[in-house]
Amino acid sequence: MSSDHQPADSDDPGGALLIRIADGDRSAFEELFTTHSRILMAVILRIVKSRTLAEEVLQDCFTEVRTRCSGFDPGRGSGRDWLITLCRRRAIDCVRSVQAQQDRDYADGLRTTAEAGDQVEQIVIARADSDRLGPADPPG
């Protein structure tokens, strides 16, 4: 264990794994994934409502675990709670991002429809004017 971390409680296997990962233990990362990925996937899936998105978020979370696990402090909570919080935040960010993209797409669609409607309106007016005026008299 590194001197940066307090010893993990034996009742917190997730915390112990996070500390080992922070110390560079690759087998601990594999063990953490094996033991926690199902519960984390369930947490994420409940938020994002899409298995494909949930898998992406879970992958992002485990990538973040590799880089941020040194920020885990066993004195502030369990490793499992830290992981769940990380996954919840990532899942909520994903939902917000998807919603923002859908909102942008909807606004773009409305704008495009309005522009197309204006063009159609101009064509209809031009044809009505043309029909009202009738055919031009041939030069005589």
Side-chain angles (χ1 to χ4, degrees):
M1 238 177 265
S2 85
S3 57
D4 301 7
H5 297 98
Q6 301 170 9
D9 188 339
S10 62
D11 292 335
D12 183 14
L17 289 170
L18 288 168
I19 290 170
R20 287 175 45 205
I21 294 166
D23 290 338
D25 185 339
R26 288 178 173 245
S27 66
F29 184 82
E30 292 173 25
E31 187 177 341
L32 184 76
F33 184 83
T34 302
T35 59
H36 287 78
S37 62
R38 288 184 65 170
I39 185 71
L40 298 175
M41 180 64 150
V43 168
I44 295 165
L45 190 54
R46 193 173 332 151
I47 295 168
V48 300
K49 310 280 192 238
S50 160
R51 182 144 188 97
T52 303
L53 280 178
E55 289 170 354
E56 289 178 29
V57 171
L58 183 64
Q59 182 178 356
D60 289 345
C61 289
F62 273 95
T63 299
E64 191 169 345
V65 164
R66 277 192 120 91
T67 60
R68 293 194 53 224
C69 63
S70 61
F72 167 68
D73 179 1
R76 297 185 67 197
S78 72
R80 180 177 169 159
D81 290 346
W82 188 85
L83 290 166
I84 289 172
T85 300
L86 174 87
C87 289
R88 284 187 76 249
R89 286 180 180 160
R90 280 283 187 156
I92 290 167
D93 288 347
C94 177
V95 168
R96 287 178 179 157
S97 176
V98 166
Q99 185 62 53
Q101 183 60 52
Q102 288 173 344
D103 291 348
R104 283 189 299 273
D105 291 346
Y106 180 74
D108 287 345
L110 288 177
R111 196 171 19 263
T112 301
T113 301
E115 289 169 1
D118 289 345
Q119 291 172 355
V120 168
E121 182 180 349
Q122 292 303 318
I123 291 169
V124 169
I125 290 170
R127 285 190 183 156
D129 287 345
S130 174
D131 290 346
R132 191 179 71 226
L133 294 175
D137 292 330

